[in-house]
Amino acid sequence: MNSESLPAQNKRVVNYLRLSITDRCNLRCIYCMPEEGISFVPHDEILSYEEMLHLVRLATQCGIRKVRLTGGEPLVRKGFIDFLENLSNITELKEISLTTNGVLLKHFAADIKKCGIGRINISLDSLRPERFFKITGRNVFKKVHEGIREAERLGFDPIKINMVAMKGINDDEILDFARLTLKKPYHVRFIEFMPVGKENGWSPERFISTGEILAKIQQLGDLQPIEQNTLLDGPARRYRLEGAKGEIGLIGALSDHFCDQCNRMRLTAEGHLRGCLFSDKEIDIKTPLREKRPDSEIIGLMKLAIKNKPKSHGLFKSGPRKCVRPMTTIGG
Ligand code: SAM
Ligand code: SF4
């Protein structure tokens, strides 16, 4: 264990922070941000870049070594590249990565790379333009495709493609996504549909488990397991189809009990620190920050949030309880 890393409950070492830098987005994915009835966080309630940088510096004093920028869509926030450059100057961070829907990636990829960011996750739930439009509410498949190609051209490695599998919506494309790894060096990751936010269309009928996904993919041939590096890979179970350039990852957010290995905290767009996606327990660190409380006090709150990180999401004991906050503010 890193001497500065802090143990949470279950002796897990927490060293990874996911930062939602905005709750705004240029897509309207059916499972995340409905077209109607979204209430956005007022701009002045969202952490400024300066505040985020300060909090990340303090978080490194609590053992955080890896930061993922997410949202909402990180690339829609003005000044993102300058922020990224400043973040990359925090020498205590060993890794910075980004999750994006790829719509603006073609435009920003070179600048992102210049900031030293080489790892990127791109969300893509369909390889069919018309279906992509139905799922995301925007007719921009081509832009995402161009963004992925640009990331590949610039040598991002790995390029992870995240696909949220939903029964009756896109599960008939699971094999097409898996086949992509035969020709492309992408890491295609299948993510279980999660009941997050007040109304996101989740239902047991729409849910397809990673076990079922794996069984489907096995139709294509033997899947060789790849040894996991939990620090870098997080909870994905990794496999490779024989002769494939890329790999396949399965993220069983609900069915796989990876809580005992979970090393992450989340900082919400409005500055609350949260230990688990599925628990609405949060600690507000923006208010003391804006009240100019001493850093030692804020570090104390961060350490408390890490110590109190829930042992497990408990979804299978309590049933598929939904977390109330939208994914966009928490940072998926
Ligand atoms: N806008 C960026 C994007 O879509 O990649 C970053 C934010 S998004 C909230 C982060 C990830 O969370 C995406 O891969 C998205 O597919 C995933 N996500 C959002 N809602 C989800 C849900 N209900 N179940 C599973 N994954 C979800
Ligand atoms: Fe936007 Fe990402 Fe949510 Fe889709 S999943 S609505 S792209 S934040």
Side-chain angles (χ1 to χ4, degrees):
M1 191 200 329
N2 179 322
S3 58
E4 293 157 9
S5 301
L6 286 176
Q9 301 190 62
N10 291 7
K11 299 199 179 110
R12 294 162 300 179
V13 174
V14 172
N15 50 19
Y16 177 16
L17 182 68
R18 291 168 87 101
L19 191 53
S20 171
I21 72 161
T22 176
D23 64 338
R24 277 32 178 205
C25 188
N26 45 2
L27 295 186
R28 290 288 179 272
C29 301
I30 44 174
Y31 53 78
C32 176
M33 199 190 255
E35 200 74 61
E36 303 290 327
I38 323 164
S39 47
F40 291 109
V41 178
H43 280 293
D44 57 353
E45 290 300 325
I46 290 190
L47 290 175
S48 68
Y49 284 139
E50 292 69 29
E51 288 171 330
M52 281 190 256
L53 289 167
H54 187 66
L55 290 177
V56 170
R57 280 192 200 96
L58 298 185
T60 64
Q61 295 184 43
C62 303
I64 296 297
R65 294 290 174 268
K66 173 175 168 180
V67 168
R68 172 171 298 280
L69 302 175
T70 177
E73 173 50 34
L75 299 187
V76 300
R77 182 155 175 188
K78 275 199 196 116
F80 174 73
I81 296 295
D82 287 343
F83 166 65
L84 194 56
E85 197 178 343
N86 289 326
L87 191 70
S88 66
N89 288 331
I90 301 180
T91 50
E92 289 82 1
L93 290 179
K94 299 292 169 243
E95 192 189 306
I96 300 171
S97 50
L98 172 70
T99 300
T100 171
N101 59 29
V103 176
L104 299 174
L105 189 57
K106 187 177 177 198
H107 179 73
F108 285 115
D111 286 335
I112 294 169
K113 195 84 199 304
K114 267 192 214 141
C115 294
I117 309 325
R119 306 171 69 88
I120 198 158
N121 288 15
I122 303 163
S123 304
L124 182 66
D125 300 322
S126 177
L127 298 169
R128 304 178 190 173
E130 335 71 66
R131 185 177 281 172
F132 175 93
F133 186 9
K134 272 196 187 143
I135 295 176
T136 65
R138 301 290 182 269
N139 194 6
V140 288
F141 177 84
K142 188 162 172 270
K143 286 192 174 172
V144 177
H145 187 241
E146 288 171 356
I148 296 173
R149 298 299 299 267
E150 181 67 355
E152 198 179 338
R153 194 185 68 77
L154 290 166
F156 279 83
D157 182 23
I159 295 174
K160 296 187 182 174
I161 308 282
N162 288 347
M163 188 255 204
V164 178
M166 293 165 282
K167 214 170 241 173
I169 294 187
N170 61 356
D171 59 331
D172 56 346
E173 290 189 63
I174 288 172
L175 292 185
D176 292 342
F177 271 91
R179 276 192 205 98
L180 251 190
T181 67
L182 293 170
K183 292 203 178 132
K184 293 284 185 184
Y186 307 151
H187 294 195
V188 171
R189 291 141 39 104
F190 297 94
I191 303 176
E192 281 178 355
F193 184 14
M194 296 183 276
V196 181
K198 276 186 196 139
E199 238 355 291
N200 79 337
W202 191 94
S203 72
E205 293 72 40
R206 286 268 174 255
F207 179 73
I208 172 161
S209 71
T210 45
E212 291 170 85
I213 295 170
L214 187 67
K216 272 185 194 273
I217 299 173
Q218 275 164 339
Q219 295 172 31
L220 295 178
D222 272 352
L223 280 168
Q224 298 146 5
I226 301 175
E227 208 184 313
Q228 258 172 278
N229 172 345
T230 35
L231 178 67
L232 290 176
D233 303 335
R237 291 188 193 279
R238 301 167 57 197
Y239 301 89
R240 192 187 298 278
L241 282 164
E242 208 179 332
K245 289 195 173 153
E247 52 175 84
I248 287 165
L250 295 170
I251 304 184
L254 294 190
S255 65
D256 221 357
H257 295 273
F258 52 67
C259 301
D260 60 343
Q261 291 165 27
C262 181
N263 61 351
R264 58 187 65 172
M265 297 293 291
R266 291 180 152 86
L267 184 58
T268 67
E270 72 259 71
H272 293 190
L273 206 51
R274 182 174 175 118
C276 176
L277 189 56
F278 296 104
S279 161
D280 283 311
K281 281 190 194 140
E282 299 177 343
I283 293 189
D284 171 9
I285 51 174
K286 180 183 65 194
T287 302
L289 179 73
R290 291 194 175 170
E291 284 171 353
K292 308 255 180 296
R293 309 297 305 166
D295 285 349
S296 55
E297 199 174 300
I298 294 167
I299 290 175
L301 289 173
M302 288 179 168
K303 289 183 175 170
L304 182 69
I306 292 173
K307 185 166 162 268
N308 289 343
K309 180 174 163 62
K311 281 186 188 158
S312 124
H313 59 45
L315 285 174
F316 283 98
K317 273 188 215 139
S318 60
R321 151 179 68 102
K322 299 182 185 194
C323 87
V324 173
R325 246 185 206 287
M327 188 78 139
T328 45
T329 55
I330 305 171

